[in-house]
Amino acid sequence: MAYKIAILPGDGIGPEIINQAEKLLQCLQQDFGFNMELESAAIGGAGYDAVGHPLPEASLVLCQQADAILLGSVGGPQYESLDRDLRPERGLLGLRASLELFSNLRPAMLYPQLVNASSLKPDIVSGLDIMIVRELTGGIYFGKPRGIRELENGEREGFNTLVYAEHEIERIARSAFDIAMLRNKKLCSVDKANVLEVSELWREVVVQVGNDYPEVELSHLYVDNAAMQLVRAPKQFDVIVTTNMFGDILSDTAAMLTGSIGMLPSASLDRDGKGMYEPIHGSAPDIAGKSIANPLAMLLSVAMMLRYSLGEPELANLIDTAVGNVLNQGFRTADIAEGGNTVSTVEMGDAVVAALRALVK
Ligand code: NAD
């Protein structure tokens, strides 16, 4: 049976990097017996330009019917004056919410060839390989009531609500334990249980879920300590699970340990493991259309898709190996070049496809 993959190029560099992903998938189809059907649809600013909405109905239906979704990136300065509900980012948030993609996987992995790109000393970051599992559809970003109100004395007050129901904690914990089982079986849950009641419940539920995973070593850290540990000794972590806002901040910190935003993929999964896969970076309007964007985060997102949604870990490993080989051969886009020769987006995509083909010969 053919896997149905929805392709959402989006805006800015999105279409340029997603072309490279399609090329890679076609190579898997031709040379590795991977059976797939690709279908593209508009999202973000492209959706607004096409039909006046950042998440066109047809795109949502395509994603609902697909086995997995590949997204380039959304956003651009030309859309910033639109009403909030029509902005490109709304398309992405709408898709995550409609498909209940509550589990956001953000790996922070440092390729040994790029160790000098990190702002931390090589001995602290070399070999770094962390997976942050962030709750994506709940917590303070979605909790109600929220707003800005006027008090009796005329002063304004802003307010948001941090709320997690047990089932929301249970499902993200389970997702994180499952991922820990596929890796080194170490899970650190990050909360603020010394101050917040919601964190107290978080910790209790995570411990309960942990009873079903006796092989996984579970630890807990307060978020302030976790932030400190991430820059002090990041290699102590394997998998981290945390709430929406803590995860937002910690995953960006972890990503920056690797120094290269163009290298990091991500996944957002639902309860059944269906997911949307995208680079962690945005649409990079400053370099869009110049064919200098690094496509590797996009290509590594394809590898994550094969591993976490399509049950093809061997193919995923082959892509990871091909990317490593291309870096070994010295191919660099401008963002990771450290002054040497650079290749274009298309040349980098071609190099990975060639490296992949070389693995079957
Ligand atoms: P950005 O990630 O687009 O760019 C930050 C910097 O990193 C820029 O200098 C850019 O040129 C560089 N960069 C990013 N990706 C790169 C790549 N693959 N290769 C080489 N260099 C790369 O972040 P931003 O500038 O803050 O945001 C631009 C737009 O993207 C905004 O509209 C924002 O809302 C949107 N955005 C979208 C997503 C998403 O689609 N998931 C995520 C973040 C930001």
Side-chain angles (χ1 to χ4, degrees), residues 181-245:
M181 286 296 289
L182 294 175
R183 293 173 47 104
N184 293 325
K185 302 190 173 69
K186 263 178 70 182
L187 176 63
C188 178
S189 170
V190 172
D191 61 38
K192 192 70 183 167
N194 50 343
V195 180
L196 302 172
E197 286 79 359
V198 65
S199 275
E200 233 176 271
L201 182 68
W202 174 278
R203 196 175 278 217
E204 205 180 289
V205 174
V206 170
V207 169
Q208 270 167 19
V209 173
N211 292 334
D212 294 341
Y213 297 84
E215 285 174 64
V216 177
E217 182 195 320
L218 173 65
S219 61
H220 305 271
L221 278 184
Y222 297 138
V223 63
D224 41 347
N225 189 11
M228 199 166 74
Q229 296 301 329
L230 263 180
V231 290
R232 191 188 70 86
K235 282 188 275 183
Q236 68 185 283
F237 295 110
D238 178 25
V239 182
I240 292 176
V241 62
T242 191
T243 57
N244 202 341
M245 184 162 71

Side-chain angles (χ1 to χ4, degrees), residues 226-302:
M228 199 166 74
Q229 296 301 329
L230 263 180
V231 290
R232 191 188 70 86
K235 282 188 275 183
Q236 68 185 283
F237 295 110
D238 178 25
V239 182
I240 292 176
V241 62
T242 191
T243 57
N244 202 341
M245 184 162 71
F246 294 163
D248 191 2
I249 299 165
L250 293 181
S251 61
D252 268 16
T253 309
M256 278 304 101
L257 298 177
T258 72
S260 43
I261 195 169
M263 295 292 303
L264 295 175
S266 77
S268 308
L269 305 179
D270 75 2
R271 189 177 268 281
D272 303 319
K274 171 171 166 173
M276 177 159 74
Y277 296 81
E278 57 181 310
I280 68 156
H281 59 71
S283 58
D286 53 332
I287 58 168
K290 298 182 179 163
S291 196
I292 57 172
N294 186 347
L296 292 181
M298 187 77 244
L299 302 184
L300 293 168
S301 300
V302 174

Side-chain angles (χ1 to χ4, degrees), residues 13 17 71-77 80 89 92 96 261-262 278-287 292-295 297 333 335:
I13 60 171
I17 55 175
L71 171 85
S73 54
V74 298
E80 274 163 20
E89 295 73 14
L92 199 50
R96 285 175 184 160
I261 195 169
E278 57 181 310
I280 68 156
H281 59 71
S283 58
D286 53 332
I287 58 168
I292 57 172
N294 186 347
T333 42
D335 56 311

Side-chain angles (χ1 to χ4, degrees), residues 32 60 62 111 132 153-154 187 226 297 323 329:
F32 294 83
L60 179 59
L62 177 71
Y111 281 87
I132 298 195
N153 65 4
L187 176 63
V323 168
Q329 290 157 21

